[in-house]
Amino acid sequence: MVGRSRLPRTRLTPGLAKQGARAGWDASLAPSDFRGASVARLDILPPSTLRRVSSPFGFLLSAEPPSRRTGAITAVGAVALCTLIIYPLKQIAPVVSLGVVYLLAVLVVSVIWGAWLGFATAVCSAAAFNFFHLPPVGQFTIRNSSNWVALIAFLVAAALASSVAEVTRARARETEERRREADLAAEMARLLLRGNSLNEALATAGARLAAALGLTSAAIELETVDGGERSVAFPLREGTRRLGTLLVGADTSEASLRRLQERVVPALEALLSAALERESLLGGVVETASLRRADVVKTALLRAVSHDLRSPLTAISAAGEAVGSASLSEDERREMAAVIGEETRRLSRLVDNLLDLSRLEAGAAEPRREWISVEEVIDSALEDLAPAADDFALSIDRDLPLVRADSAQLERAFANVLENARRHSGGHPVSVRARAVRPLAGEGGRLIVRIVDRGPGIPSAQLERVFEPFYRAGTAQTGHRGSGLGLAIARGFTEANGGTLHVESLPEQGATFVFELPLEAGTSVGGDQPAGIGEVSAGDGS
């Protein structure tokens, strides 16, 4: 199928040896030892070339000739036609020389239906020529040697024509088999060398192999499997290394077993070896990529730790030393104590964010769902931030429905987004709006929380990147650069509770972070406005 290949002499499996013994061939033969075996080549004529060569008489050498009954009718008709044709020809040629007309019938029948029907046609032709045209007409008599010569010539022509036709037909069948094997090799290479999963590709390749070769069943296993009563096993090897096993049905004919062992197995061994090597290389690439990503995360983490941990620790250390100085006044001591408290809280938030991110990355942040009030969760998040009186402006609808979620995770998500909005608001109050939205057809209701700041906004290219861990969108103009963890954790906790978090922003028009939390089926939603109108009204001013 893919070129000349020499295999070591290996003993066939017991199942194949048992069937091979009935066929009379040695079970210890290697593929090159089969008598009359020919190795597949790559120079098979394409179908278009074969059609040009066989036209216009290609039907004479079809792989499967018509039935013998059709052949017998054709032979009788051809002999009768030749007999009639000779009558007008007697006027222009000696009757003895017109016996060659019957050769047309003999050759056509011999080529299409083979030697036996050709011999019968030759005998019928000789008898018809003798009875209808050779004197004495109307009698079967052989008076001279010319009658014998005609009969022998017909028989020899029939034998030669049928032999040549059979050889040509056999070569045509072999060429067609090799063409199908070449197509099969290409299909197997595509399946085994392009699929993501080799095990899935092997199942498809086995089915394709059975369909192409007319087998009742075929399977390719990556394990050593022995043949049994229901299957014949072909070991697939690369040198001394066992790659796998090809299993075919026990009812497979001896000719198909020879064909498999001789031409299919060597090509399959080469393809399977390449597929295994490719899978090994892909595994190495995936592992390398994972290690590279781990290095990136580790580098980013170390960078965040080295910068964000150093700042509060330095402030705490300096303030702690200053507090112990006798030259400080009481007001200065209180100021230093406030610095220590603020930096301690900042350090605690950073450590909490790192722990939260590690749980999210490991898939260990399973929410503890219970019925909670989003309004109370937002109030708790604001208390943790210790805001000034004018830092936030709340606009929360009355009678907001309860949601099933983890209050601690949502509180952390709201706190991170609120802190981020306050940091970038430019001194303006941050607007917090919450309302429930009626369900649309085929959808459940939603509770939407919008947190709107009036800062410089976020460029469109960074709208998704701001949710990546360790990505910092701060600029030199704002002077604020966080750890790059808060928004990533907020989205992670929101999605863990079945919700979504995205940001809407236009340059120099602030940013709006939108939480959407699902409502349980049957939850009543207050208000009479349709869902679309309510959702638009919640976004005014963003």
Side-chain angles (χ1 to χ4, degrees):
M1 289 166 62
V2 294
R4 185 177 297 274
S5 174
R6 296 187 62 85
L7 296 178
R9 296 177 67 91
T10 57
R11 296 199 63 84
L12 301 178
T13 59
L16 182 57
K18 182 178 180 181
Q19 294 200 23
R22 296 199 301 267
W25 44 282
D26 186 3
S28 64
L29 294 178
S32 58
D33 294 325
F34 286 112
R35 183 179 302 173
S38 58
V39 181
R41 300 176 301 171
L42 295 176
D43 55 346
I44 299 176
L45 291 177
S48 58
T49 304
L50 293 176
R51 285 194 294 268
R52 290 197 300 269
V53 172
S54 60
S55 180
F57 301 107
F59 69 93
L60 296 176
L61 297 175
S62 60
E64 295 296 333
S67 64
R68 290 188 175 273
R69 180 179 179 182
T70 303
I73 295 174
T74 302
V76 172
V79 171
L81 180 62
C82 292
T83 301
L84 294 176
I85 291 175
I86 291 177
Y87 281 107
L89 294 179
K90 289 181 181 180
Q91 307 300 324
I92 59 176
V95 68
V96 176
S97 64
L98 295 178
V100 296
V101 175
Y102 287 100
L103 283 176
L104 295 176
V106 174
L107 291 175
V108 169
V109 174
S110 300
V111 167
I112 299 178
W113 284 277
W116 292 108
L117 200 53
F119 290 156
T121 305
V123 173
C124 291
S125 297
F129 185 52
N130 182 277
F131 185 83
F132 290 103
H133 298 293
L134 293 180
V137 177
Q139 299 180 15
F140 289 105
T141 57
I142 300 178
R143 293 187 174 183
N144 52 49
S145 60
S146 61
N147 302 121
W148 291 104
V149 170
L151 177 58
I152 294 174
F154 292 158
L155 295 175
V156 171
L160 291 177
S162 61
S163 299
V164 172
E166 186 59 33
V167 171
T168 306
R169 189 175 288 112
R171 290 183 177 178
R173 284 196 297 265
E174 182 181 3
T175 300
E176 179 63 19
E177 288 180 357
R178 293 183 184 276
R179 184 189 66 79
R180 288 199 299 266
E181 290 170 3
D183 293 342
L184 176 62
E187 179 71 9
M188 299 279 280
R190 185 186 66 82
L191 291 172
L192 297 179
L193 301 181
R194 291 183 58 185
N196 295 327
S197 173
L198 182 57
N199 289 327
E200 295 179 1
L202 288 177
T204 306
R208 180 70 180 86
L209 177 65
L213 301 182
L215 306 176
T216 56
S217 64
I220 304 173
E221 301 289 344
L222 293 179
E223 303 173 352
T224 300
V225 181
D226 295 329
E229 296 181 357
R230 303 178 59 183
S231 64
V232 178
F234 291 88
L236 303 176
R237 294 188 177 91
E238 182 185 29
T240 58
R241 175 192 173 198
R242 181 71 176 264
L243 302 175
T245 307
L246 171 62
L247 297 173
V248 298
D251 56 348
T252 305
S253 64
E254 284 80 3
S256 297
L257 293 175
R258 288 174 180 269
R259 182 182 178 189
L260 286 169
Q261 181 70 25
E262 177 185 335
R263 298 202 295 259
V264 177
V265 167
L268 186 57
E269 288 174 334
L271 290 175
L272 188 56
S273 175
L276 290 172
E277 183 176 359
R278 173 182 176 273
E279 189 174 57
S280 176
L281 292 176
L282 284 179
V285 170
V286 171
E287 184 178 358
T288 302
S290 300
L291 292 175
R292 186 180 293 112
R293 285 195 298 269
D295 287 340
V296 171
V297 173
K298 181 175 66 176
T299 302
L301 178 61
L302 291 176
R303 187 182 296 116
V305 170
S306 63
H307 179 270
D308 296 319
L309 289 182
R310 186 186 299 117
S311 297
L313 288 176
T314 301
I316 293 172
S317 176
E321 292 179 0
V323 168
S325 175
S327 61
L328 290 180
S329 65
E330 191 64 26
D331 292 339
E332 290 174 335
R333 293 180 188 278
R334 284 195 295 269
E335 182 179 353
M336 291 296 102
V339 169
I340 293 175
E342 181 180 354
E343 294 300 328
T344 301
R345 287 191 295 272
R346 177 184 172 189
L347 182 61
S348 176
R349 285 196 301 271
L350 177 60
V351 173
D352 289 341
N353 283 338
L354 290 173
L355 294 175
D356 290 339
L357 181 65
S358 66
R359 287 198 297 269
L360 288 170
E361 292 289 340
E366 288 294 331
R368 298 180 179 178
R369 298 180 183 272
E370 57 184 358
W371 292 105
I372 61 172
S373 169
V374 172
E375 183 177 4
E376 294 179 359
V377 172
I378 294 176
D379 290 340
S380 298
L382 291 175
E383 290 178 4
D384 290 341
L385 298 178
D390 58 348
D391 283 350
F392 297 96
L394 301 183
S395 177
I396 299 177
D397 282 4
R398 295 180 179 178
D399 300 327
L400 278 180
L402 301 179
V403 297
R404 281 186 60 83
D406 188 317
S407 60
Q409 292 184 353
L410 285 187
E411 180 182 339
R412 180 60 58 82
F414 285 133
N416 287 347
V417 175
L418 290 169
E419 182 183 11
N420 179 82
R422 181 176 63 176
R423 184 186 306 129
H424 294 89
S425 65
H428 298 284
V430 175
S431 174
V432 181
R433 299 168 180 168
R435 68 172 293 114
V437 177
R438 285 182 177 275
L440 299 175
E443 298 181 359
R446 294 169 295 162
L447 194 153
I448 297 179
V449 178
R450 292 177 178 267
I451 299 176
V452 184
D453 65 59
R454 298 183 184 179
I458 303 173
S460 58
Q462 299 182 10
L463 290 179
E464 281 300 316
R465 296 200 63 191
V466 295
F467 295 103
E468 297 178 2
F470 304 108
Y471 181 78
R472 305 182 183 189
T475 63
Q477 296 178 352
T478 62
H480 300 293
R481 293 180 64 88
S483 63
L485 299 176
L487 295 181
I489 293 171
R491 171 174 276 188
F493 279 151
T494 304
E495 292 179 349
N497 286 273
T500 61
L501 172 61
H502 68 277
V503 62
E504 303 167 355
S505 179
L506 293 174
E508 305 302 329
Q509 296 188 27
T512 301
F513 288 87
V514 183
F515 290 85
E516 293 190 19
L517 300 173
L519 297 177
E520 293 287 333
T523 302
S524 61
V525 179
D528 297 324
Q529 288 181 309
I533 296 176
E535 192 170 347
V536 172
S537 67
D540 291 345
S542 63

